[in-house]
Amino acid sequence: MDIFGIKALLICALIFIPFEHLFAERPQKILRDGFAVDVIYLLFNSFIVKAAVVLMAAGVLGLAAMLVPQSITQAVGGQPVWLQVAEIILITDLGVYWAHRAFHKIPALWKFHAIHHGIKELDWLGAFHSHPVDIIVTKAISLMPVFFLGFSEASIAIFSIIYFWHTMLVHSNIRISFGPLKWLIASPQFHRWHHANQREAYDKNFAGQLPFLDVMFGTYNATGDKVPEKYGVDDPVPSTYFGQVGYPLQPRRQRSNPTASSTEAEG
Ligand SMILES: [Zn+2]
Ligand SMILES: [Zn+2]
């Protein structure tokens, strides 16, 4: 049994590491700072998140069976799988967008999300570097409607695989141009400019997969080919896994990152 997903880790590493070497956006060591902590995120943190999502799904599916008329779930689950997958991506990314924006805007939530922004060198493995509360709340908000509406198991499974690989790709240290598709599909360049620790990047590019949501809601940051100067946050985020998990619960200190306290028109 591979409950911690060690096989998945090896497959992802075998695919991403050579690409990050061949098409590096910036020179970076494979065993960069924080690599070991991120392996804990990938194996242990992801395990906690998976368990929470399975429990949540079971609860929501039970509730949905009682509350949602069968005529709706049968109509939704009876559509072609490709159409269901497209609808799931749109529905979940609307949830991701607004949950993400709330995590930036509300100071108590920002302390959880600051962990993800603590990444100083972006790569595929950094995709897993998030506080469990951050991921579980975001997944609850974004997946709840999907479970309620009765999308088929096959379409949810295909969506999960697409999401898993897409989230690693947008965090990867790969220089790749999406051309005109950059409006439709989130690219590494799009998400890099969410992680940049620079004024023009604060509270921009919240979408997980669909950049046009940021265009629609006024938070899109068009950067062309520009490379961010630096990533990370100014908040005093600890360097160990358990230090990071406990960080949001610590007594309030002076916040130094302007992201959460920004007074700019962000809504
Ligand atoms: Zn963020
Ligand atoms: Zn990220």
Side-chain angles (χ1 to χ4, degrees):
M1 265 246 299
D2 185 22
I3 54 168
F4 291 110
I6 292 172
K7 250 187 257 163
L9 162 71
L10 291 175
I11 293 170
C12 300
L14 280 173
I15 291 173
F16 276 100
I17 290 173
F19 273 103
E20 289 190 331
H21 183 71
L22 287 172
F23 307 104
E25 167 72 25
R26 56 166 67 198
Q28 231 169 252
K29 286 186 202 147
I30 296 171
L31 297 176
R32 52 153 173 84
D33 266 3
F35 185 89
V37 171
D38 284 357
V39 172
I40 300 176
Y41 273 100
L42 173 54
L43 300 179
F44 179 67
N45 202 63
S46 300
F47 173 72
I48 297 175
V49 170
K50 257 182 248 160
V53 170
V54 168
L55 283 177
M56 182 192 76
V60 173
L61 287 173
L63 209 61
M66 291 190 289
L67 298 176
V68 185
Q70 272 200 349
S71 55
I72 294 180
T73 52
Q74 278 171 0
V76 171
Q79 301 174 100
V81 170
W82 67 266
L83 185 57
Q84 289 187 60
V85 172
E87 289 166 354
I88 293 173
I89 292 175
L90 181 60
I91 291 169
T92 53
D93 216 39
L94 276 166
V96 166
Y97 177 92
W98 286 106
H100 192 178
R101 204 159 153 172
F103 269 100
H104 275 249
K105 193 73 188 165
I106 301 166
L109 291 180
W110 165 254
K111 292 191 99 180
F112 290 96
H113 190 57
I115 303 303
H116 184 59
H117 280 269
I119 306 169
K120 292 198 179 70
E121 291 176 284
L122 282 183
D123 64 9
W124 66 281
L125 188 58
F128 301 94
H129 184 113
S130 290
H131 196 285
V133 169
D134 183 352
I135 317 181
I136 291 167
V137 168
T138 303
K139 288 216 181 286
I141 291 170
S142 59
L143 287 172
M144 203 84 84
V146 171
F147 293 138
F148 257 104
L149 287 169
F151 284 98
S152 69
E153 274 177 37
S155 55
I156 294 174
I158 293 171
F159 159 74
S160 303
I161 294 167
I162 293 172
Y163 181 84
F164 180 72
W165 287 94
H166 195 186
T167 196
M168 283 187 289
L169 178 66
V170 297
H171 287 93
S172 69
N173 183 33
I174 296 175
R175 186 152 191 83
I176 177 176
S177 169
F178 279 24
L181 286 179
K182 69 176 183 180
W183 301 102
L184 183 64
I185 304 168
S187 65
Q189 176 72 355
F190 170 80
H191 196 59
R192 230 166 248 153
W193 276 98
H194 179 69
H195 277 271
N197 191 6
Q198 292 164 238
R199 181 111 213 110
E200 68 262 46
Y202 295 145
D203 297 326
K204 294 286 191 299
N205 295 4
F206 288 113
Q209 298 187 269
L210 305 172
F212 62 81
L213 294 181
D214 279 284
V215 178
M216 271 166 56
F217 299 128
T219 48
Y220 186 75
N221 183 19
T223 57
D225 284 345
K226 231 169 88 183
V227 180
E229 286 156 29
K230 58 172 180 161
Y231 302 118
V233 273
D234 301 328
D235 302 45
V237 175
S239 58
T240 64
Y241 173 74
F242 286 106
Q244 290 171 0
V245 170
Y247 170 74
L249 310 170
Q250 282 172 11
R252 209 182 160 85
R253 286 199 227 164
Q254 187 76 34
R255 176 181 297 103
S256 49
N257 188 302
T259 307
S261 54
S262 168
T263 49
E264 287 201 333
E266 195 263 299

